[in-house]
Amino acid sequence: MDENGLPSQEILRQLQDLLKEETGFNSGRIMGSMCTSPHLFAQRVYRKYVDKNLGDPGLFPATAQLETEVVRSLGSLLSNPSAVGNIVTGGTEANLLALWACVRSHSDRRESEVLVPSSVHCSFEKIADLLGLRLVKVKLNEHFQVDVAEVRRKITSRTLALIGIAGTTGLGVLDPIYELSQLAQQNNLYLHVDAAFGGFVLPFLNGTPPFDFRLPGVSSITIDPHKMGLAPIPAGGILFRDRKLHRKLTWTVPYLSGGETSQTTFVGSRSGASVIAVWAMLKHFGKAGYRKIVGRCMKLTMELAREIDEIPELAVVVRPTINVIGVKSNGPDLVKIVQSLREMQWAVALFPRYMRIVIMPHVHKEHLNQFVQDLRQVVVDVN
Ligand code: 0PR
């Protein structure tokens, strides 16, 4: 830090220069991110209430009430209006809170194992390390869903929890949660569903198999408003089936504005503006609004998947379930394809065997037309 400060105009000028290289969502060229530019109304609401801190709910009781309402709304969306939980920093903290509650519900948890699909998000690696759990990865079936027979075989007396994913990070696949729920019930295990991305997509599609609290074995669900909910970061969501589980996360803070108060999140100070912005988004869109957005993203997703399959050197890994497409190469080096695309300002995500495209609301038909044209060219150049 320098001794003397600078005028704000000068700082803004410096920032504009320092950040100019970064691609903005509204360029339509970010094609591999699970986030988007927050809705303008959410941005406005966020700015207006930026000083609210839910780490001290006694000071912001009305904001805390809005969090309860948001959780209830998300619970209804996931078939359980009496679900309890919190709006947290993101999917990572939401998944952490799920497994933390699970661990704290078990007095004896030596050598505890959590069975996860091999497609699981890397946040679980951090969480397992933090909580002293062992992740046991289960292979996928030919549809890239977790192989349920293999899950069954891997359950032992050390197993503490099962994880299912509703919208995998790489391919957007929905695991067979119904079967996982049965296994969880039969073996008295905790089942957490990671719907960080899919939670704001799957409920708005026709014909989605049950994956939420409708299934009696589901203990908790992650659902992130800062992904397809169009809310500003940070806004993840963790929902528990009942109060008993959520209470396991209660930590008493004796000195805050409400006198003795409690927190159920990992972080202390946390953004009340995030919660209020999510509340505003849910009210503003309603189910019909989100259904429309998801419908538009899905239409473009299916169109792009068809176009990619027409490129002889490329193929879609699996027919998309949600607005996520995995693309593999039949020859040309994928790393080079992704690098060349990046040089043309297209950003896609690169996984070990495929690249991932996510059709978020900032992607429009004209962007896709240009993308397909450039992709065809890149594939020829790289080959
Ligand atoms: N669970 C699943 C299924 C996820 O896909 C993710 C993140 C998480 C949990 C963790 O969520 P947080 O990042 O909110 O903690 N998935 C995104 C991904 O890996 C995260 C992301 C978002 C990465 C936007 C890049 C980006 O531009 O793609």
Side-chain angles (χ1 to χ4, degrees), residues 65-84:
Q65 177 55 32
L66 292 184
E67 182 176 35
T68 306
E69 290 184 24
V70 165
V71 167
R72 204 180 299 138
S73 293
L74 295 180
S76 317
L77 184 65
L78 300 176
S79 314
N80 180 10
S82 53
V84 284

Side-chain angles (χ1 to χ4, degrees), residues 117-268:
S118 59
S119 52
V120 78
H121 186 256
C122 48
S123 54
F124 283 93
E125 307 276 356
K126 301 181 196 171
I127 295 161
D129 189 66
L130 211 55
L131 298 178
L133 299 168
R134 199 168 89 82
L135 287 190
V136 178
K137 296 214 171 149
V138 180
K139 72 178 172 69
L140 307 183
N141 64 21
E142 71 275 21
H143 308 296
F144 300 90
Q145 301 167 302
V146 70
D147 184 331
V148 176
E150 197 64 17
V151 175
R152 186 181 294 114
R153 267 195 292 279
K154 290 205 148 114
I155 294 175
T156 69
S157 58
R158 294 185 300 278
T159 311
L160 193 66
L162 308 179
I163 306 293
I165 314 168
T168 58
T169 305
L171 299 172
V173 163
L174 173 59
D175 280 329
I177 310 292
Y178 174 80
E179 283 86 347
L180 293 179
S181 165
Q182 282 187 322
L183 278 182
Q185 286 203 295
Q186 285 157 7
N187 296 278
N188 196 23
L189 296 171
Y190 190 102
L191 171 59
H192 174 65
V193 175
D194 183 356
F197 187 78
F200 268 94
V201 182
L202 293 162
F204 304 115
L205 295 176
N206 295 327
T208 299
F211 70 96
D212 61 15
F213 290 115
R214 238 175 304 172
L215 304 172
V218 173
S219 315
S220 54
I221 304 180
T222 288
I223 170 171
D224 288 351
H226 73 200
K227 296 186 170 85
M228 279 293 284
L230 309 193
I233 294 171
I238 178 64
L239 303 183
F240 293 96
R241 174 176 288 280
D242 55 48
R243 211 159 280 287
K244 212 167 78 224
L245 270 171
H246 192 219
R247 264 204 217 109
K248 297 284 174 198
L249 294 174
T250 305
W251 296 90
T252 303
V253 188
Y255 57 85
L256 292 177
S257 315
E260 181 166 300
T261 184
S262 64
Q263 295 178 346
T264 49
T265 53
F266 180 71
V267 298

Side-chain angles (χ1 to χ4, degrees), residues 69-107:
E69 290 184 24
V70 165
V71 167
R72 204 180 299 138
S73 293
L74 295 180
S76 317
L77 184 65
L78 300 176
S79 314
N80 180 10
S82 53
V84 284
N86 289 102
I87 297 303
V88 294
T89 50
T92 303
E93 191 188 355
N95 288 335
L96 168 67
L97 294 186
L99 282 182
W100 201 11
C102 167
V103 160
R104 289 175 60 78
S105 311
H106 288 78
S107 43

